[in-house]
Amino acid sequence: MLKSLSFFIRYFLFWIVFFLVNRVVFFGWNIERLDDVSNDKIFLAFLYGMQMDASMAGYLSVIPFVLFIISWLIPKIPLQGKVILNYTFVFTFLTAVITAIDFNIYTEWGTKINARAIDFLFESPSEAMASAASSPLFSSLFIVFALSMFGFYLSNKIIFKQNPDLDKSYFLVKFPIALLILGLTFLAIRGGWGIAPMNPSKVYFSDKPILNHAAINTDWLLLSNYIKKADKKNPYQYLEQTKQDAILKELYPKTNSTNTLPILSVKKPNVVLIILESFTADVVQELGGEEQITPGFSALAKEGLLFSNIYASGDRTDKGLIAILSGFPSQAIRSIIKENDKQEKLPSLIKSFRQAGYNTSFFYGGDTEFSNFKSYLISSQIHTLKDASDFNSEDLTSKWGAYDEITFKKQLQFLNHENQPFFSTLLTLSNHEPFELPKEGAFGKQSIENKFRSTSHYTAECLLNFVEEAKKEAWYNNTLFVVVADHGHRLPKNIYESYMTERYHIPLLVFGGALQTVYKGKVVDKIGNQTDIAVTLLGQLNLHTQAYKYSNNLLNTATKGFSFYNWDNGFGIVEDNQAISYDPISQTIIYQKPKTINPKKQEELLLKAKAMMQSVYQDYLDY
């Protein structure tokens, strides 16, 4: 009997050891992030992580244990052999694949693999492959191969080297032992006897996010993420409703239109909204970015009104699009654009302009079915939608579709024959992984950082050329151009983690014939967010703004500027040139700028950030 019982111990132990090796590889992949981390802290990541490893080992052991127990209790039913072997090999391989994908996602997003990333892979495989093109393919494949081979070897060595005899002990002796084994397995899954079941908080122990992320079992987190997708409870419940409402009233006060600076030279201008892919402030010289990366943007900034302290709401295009067009902040672990029953209820600049008598259009060189863009745009009652399906096949030469110069040309040709007034939006794509161009880049191809600089330079050049051509048309003098990024990026500096405020800093520029001359070349330094574009723009046109709950008028002198942002693992806020980022799992402030903030101000910022996250997520659930 002892030989049979040893199978359960050996099988469970195999997964514990395999997960330990996965964590070793995680640290090896991210070794450059560990410069200021001591060895004893790294050891603690293994120690704390073992709790979650045991939980995931329990999940993976349930089926083999049940099959073995059936064969143990009823020897005539031989289920313990090849079935368990094949099961183990399959999940060993899947774990290796998940681990490799997780490493690349962590590099790009600064977050562990989650349901959103996997959904992206299956819903938009070609776009996912394009995004992954800049990842080190050979290294990723080698990790999958090496971990799989190690797992196969280890399982044979620990589990299957000796075949346990299905002893002929009495059924009444084995049955209670079997129940005990299943009970202990459930206990491992749950994470112990305590009131709280296994959750990420149990393995969080450090003020350094990378150590907490290393402690988390990747498979467990992904499984948990899918289970929680059906959860209708708000995980960000911090404040009483009255306290939350009071804070939001302070952040989004009702203002008088007489306090708004009128910047338009015409009453009902055309509006062209350009959303630049990944156009971080770090590539804009006027915003403190590197010099001479985007001279095309700099040229336009000289003839426009530049907002120097604008931040993205989130870290991906699907969230940026909603923040800009609907004035609705990012929802951290969710993306409302992908849920038709919810996104259909959002306000939209497209709807607002259409109701005001504008002709509306949207241009994108890629596939608008990506991340459910098409459904959102159609729900917003767009008049004209142009995407990759409307381009000639010879124009679709990038991995994402048409290069930016082709898309700008298509929009220009369309606007030259469009009835005025019009509201037209264009979303670029060339400044996206894998950062490829139709010609030699301005900064070469020596590194991923220089590829990013080259595509940023190219997109700005395309934008400038588009504007110069538009100036030749009669409609230009009656048009306001609004240029903003969909989100920031870790590149080109490659030093900002997802929780750092600087990663969300983006440009916002307005210019064109409809802008009063007195504002050209000026800078607005009020802190703001993508979500503020809606009310700021509609306020200039005296259109209704009540539907945009999370949008302030950046040109209203009575509003105090601030910005709220979030990512999969947390959220933050910027106000009075001070910022904090908060991790809701460890319940700690993990980043602040400057490094020392008055404790009273710190608490004030944290309450505002919590109120925002609580309110935004609840509104997401209620839509």
Side-chain angles (χ1 to χ4, degrees), residues 23 26 41 44-53 102 106 110-114 197-218 220-221 224-225 228 236 333 498-499 567-571 581-590:
R23 191 168 288 110
F26 176 86
K41 294 292 185 181
L44 286 176
F46 284 94
L47 190 63
Y48 277 87
M50 196 170 291
Q51 302 175 67
M52 192 171 281
D53 291 346
D102 176 66
Y106 196 79
T111 62
K112 301 281 284 182
I113 190 172
N114 52 37
M198 176 54 63
N199 64 79
S201 296
K202 286 197 171 188
V203 301
Y204 268 45
F205 70 97
S206 174
D207 58 354
K208 294 187 179 296
I210 189 171
L211 293 175
N212 296 328
H213 297 158
I216 285 180
N217 182 286
T218 306
W220 188 97
L221 184 67
S224 173
N225 211 237
K228 287 182 177 180
Y236 307 107
I333 55 177
S498 59
Y499 53 83
W567 67 102
D568 285 355
N569 298 329
F571 51 89
S581 292
Y582 181 77
D583 184 332
I585 297 177
S586 63
Q587 300 179 26
T588 57
I589 293 173
I590 56 175

Side-chain angles (χ1 to χ4, degrees), residues 426-530:
L426 183 144
L427 173 62
T428 70
L429 55 70
S430 294
N431 198 36
H432 193 293
E433 297 91 344
F435 310 119
E436 292 182 342
L437 290 174
K439 57 183 180 181
E440 180 67 26
F443 296 88
K445 299 180 179 179
Q446 293 85 357
S447 65
I448 190 69
E449 290 83 2
N450 277 341
K451 286 183 178 181
F452 184 85
R453 292 184 179 100
S454 292
T455 50
S456 299
H457 179 279
Y458 166 79
T459 293
E461 183 180 56
C462 292
L463 172 63
L464 178 61
N465 292 339
F466 165 73
V467 174
E468 291 301 321
E469 290 299 313
K471 287 179 179 178
K472 301 175 184 178
E473 305 299 330
W475 54 263
Y476 178 84
N477 291 329
N478 193 44
T479 302
L480 184 74
F481 291 80
V482 180
V483 178
V484 67
D486 60 348
H487 54 80
H489 208 279
R490 66 182 177 90
L491 298 172
K493 292 186 177 181
N494 209 5
I495 59 175
Y496 299 132
E497 300 288 355
S498 59
Y499 53 83
M500 293 181 176
T501 309
E502 296 89 341
R503 184 145 170 176
Y504 299 87
H505 190 196
I506 59 172
L508 171 61
L509 175 68
V510 296
F511 61 91
L515 179 68
Q516 288 188 42
T517 304
V518 67
Y519 290 103
K520 294 182 179 181
K522 298 296 179 64
V523 177
V524 175
D525 60 5
K526 179 183 289 187
I527 295 172
N529 191 275
Q530 292 169 319

Side-chain angles (χ1 to χ4, degrees), residues 82-300:
K82 289 186 176 180
V83 176
I84 296 178
L85 175 69
N86 293 333
Y87 168 92
T88 304
F89 281 6
V90 166
F91 278 93
T92 298
F93 176 74
L94 285 176
T95 296
V97 171
I98 290 170
T99 298
I101 295 174
D102 176 66
F103 290 171
N104 289 292
I105 288 175
Y106 196 79
T107 298
E108 295 298 331
W109 295 3
T111 62
K112 301 281 284 182
I113 190 172
N114 52 37
R116 185 160 65 94
I118 298 300
D119 289 347
F120 174 37
L121 175 62
F122 285 102
E123 292 169 3
S124 306
S126 59
E127 287 82 0
M129 292 302 102
S131 293
S134 62
S135 301
L137 180 61
F138 177 79
S139 300
S140 300
L141 292 176
F142 177 77
I143 285 174
V144 172
F145 175 79
L147 284 177
S148 298
M149 291 300 102
F150 174 77
F152 298 161
Y153 170 80
L154 189 67
S155 62
N156 275 310
K157 203 75 174 174
I158 295 180
I159 307 170
F160 302 112
K161 185 175 182 180
Q162 48 180 308
N163 293 317
D165 296 325
L166 297 176
D167 58 84
K168 299 179 181 180
S169 303
Y170 289 112
F171 179 90
L172 292 178
V173 174
K174 293 188 287 188
F175 185 73
I177 294 175
L179 291 179
L180 176 63
I181 290 168
L182 292 177
L184 291 173
T185 304
F186 172 77
L187 200 62
I189 290 173
R190 194 178 183 279
W193 292 104
I195 296 175
M198 176 54 63
N199 64 79
S201 296
K202 286 197 171 188
V203 301
Y204 268 45
F205 70 97
S206 174
D207 58 354
K208 294 187 179 296
I210 189 171
L211 293 175
N212 296 328
H213 297 158
I216 285 180
N217 182 286
T218 306
D219 293 20
W220 188 97
L221 184 67
L222 184 59
L223 177 64
S224 173
N225 211 237
Y226 270 105
I227 292 173
K228 287 182 177 180
K229 280 186 73 175
D231 192 354
K232 301 302 181 184
K233 294 181 180 179
N234 188 343
Y236 307 107
Q237 287 284 359
Y238 301 112
L239 309 172
E240 294 292 335
Q241 188 69 39
T242 52
K243 179 66 174 176
Q244 173 200 286
D245 292 345
I247 292 175
L248 259 66
K249 188 176 181 179
E250 177 189 349
L251 293 174
Y252 297 101
K254 290 183 178 180
T255 56
N256 194 313
S257 60
T258 57
N259 295 323
T260 298
L261 298 174
I263 65 171
L264 298 177
S265 59
V266 294
K267 289 185 177 180
K268 198 171 185 179
N270 306 308
V271 177
V272 176
L273 172 64
I274 308 295
I275 303 174
L276 303 177
E277 171 66 48
S278 303
F279 212 81
T280 169
D282 287 336
V283 298
V284 178
Q285 183 175 338
E286 291 74 15
L287 300 179
E290 297 180 12
E291 297 181 0
Q292 294 303 312
I293 294 183
T294 57
F297 186 92
S298 296
L300 293 173

Side-chain angles (χ1 to χ4, degrees), residues 248 251-255 322-329 347 349 528-539 545-554 556 559-560 562 612:
L248 259 66
L251 293 174
Y252 297 101
K254 290 183 178 180
T255 56
I322 292 293
I324 295 166
L325 290 176
S326 290
F328 190 65
L349 284 175
N529 191 275
Q530 292 169 319
T531 56
D532 296 328
I533 293 173
V535 168
T536 302
L537 192 53
L538 296 176
T545 61
Q546 293 88 341
Y548 300 91
K549 175 181 177 180
Y550 298 101
S551 186
N552 275 325
N553 190 335
L554 295 170
N556 191 303
T559 61
K560 181 182 178 181
F562 88 100
M612 281 294 299

Side-chain angles (χ1 to χ4, degrees), residues 324-507:
I324 295 166
L325 290 176
S326 290
F328 190 65
S330 171
Q331 310 92 59
I333 55 177
R334 296 290 176 262
S335 182
I336 195 171
I337 197 172
K338 298 180 180 180
E339 301 181 49
N340 284 9
D341 59 327
K342 294 181 180 294
Q343 52 96 338
E344 289 174 353
K345 301 171 186 175
L346 288 169
S348 167
L349 284 175
I350 297 171
K351 292 178 185 176
S352 294
F353 275 100
R354 178 166 180 154
Q355 290 167 2
Y358 279 68
N359 290 300
T360 59
S361 57
F362 187 95
F363 291 80
Y364 180 54
D367 184 357
T368 51
E369 292 184 2
F370 166 70
S371 284
N372 212 33
F373 291 176
K374 185 177 181 180
S375 177
Y376 168 70
L377 294 167
I378 292 174
S379 298
S380 298
Q381 302 171 1
I382 194 83
H383 282 112
T384 303
L385 173 58
K386 300 289 186 181
D387 68 357
S389 63
D390 298 291
F391 288 73
N392 296 324
S393 57
E394 59 266 26
D395 290 332
L396 304 176
T397 53
S398 85
K399 283 187 170 63
W400 283 91
Y403 284 105
D404 290 346
E405 58 188 288
I406 303 297
T407 309
F408 275 117
K409 182 179 179 181
K410 195 172 193 68
Q411 185 189 36
L412 182 64
Q413 291 172 341
F414 176 84
L415 294 181
N416 286 341
H417 300 92
E418 176 71 312
N419 292 325
Q420 301 182 55
F422 53 72
F423 173 69
S424 183
T425 303
L426 183 144
L427 173 62
T428 70
L429 55 70
S430 294
N431 198 36
H432 193 293
E433 297 91 344
F435 310 119
E436 292 182 342
L437 290 174
K439 57 183 180 181
E440 180 67 26
F443 296 88
K445 299 180 179 179
Q446 293 85 357
S447 65
I448 190 69
E449 290 83 2
N450 277 341
K451 286 183 178 181
F452 184 85
R453 292 184 179 100
S454 292
T455 50
S456 299
H457 179 279
Y458 166 79
T459 293
E461 183 180 56
C462 292
L463 172 63
L464 178 61
N465 292 339
F466 165 73
V467 174
E468 291 301 321
E469 290 299 313
K471 287 179 179 178
K472 301 175 184 178
E473 305 299 330
W475 54 263
Y476 178 84
N477 291 329
N478 193 44
T479 302
L480 184 74
F481 291 80
V482 180
V483 178
V484 67
D486 60 348
H487 54 80
H489 208 279
R490 66 182 177 90
L491 298 172
K493 292 186 177 181
N494 209 5
I495 59 175
Y496 299 132
E497 300 288 355
S498 59
Y499 53 83
M500 293 181 176
T501 309
E502 296 89 341
R503 184 145 170 176
Y504 299 87
H505 190 196
I506 59 172

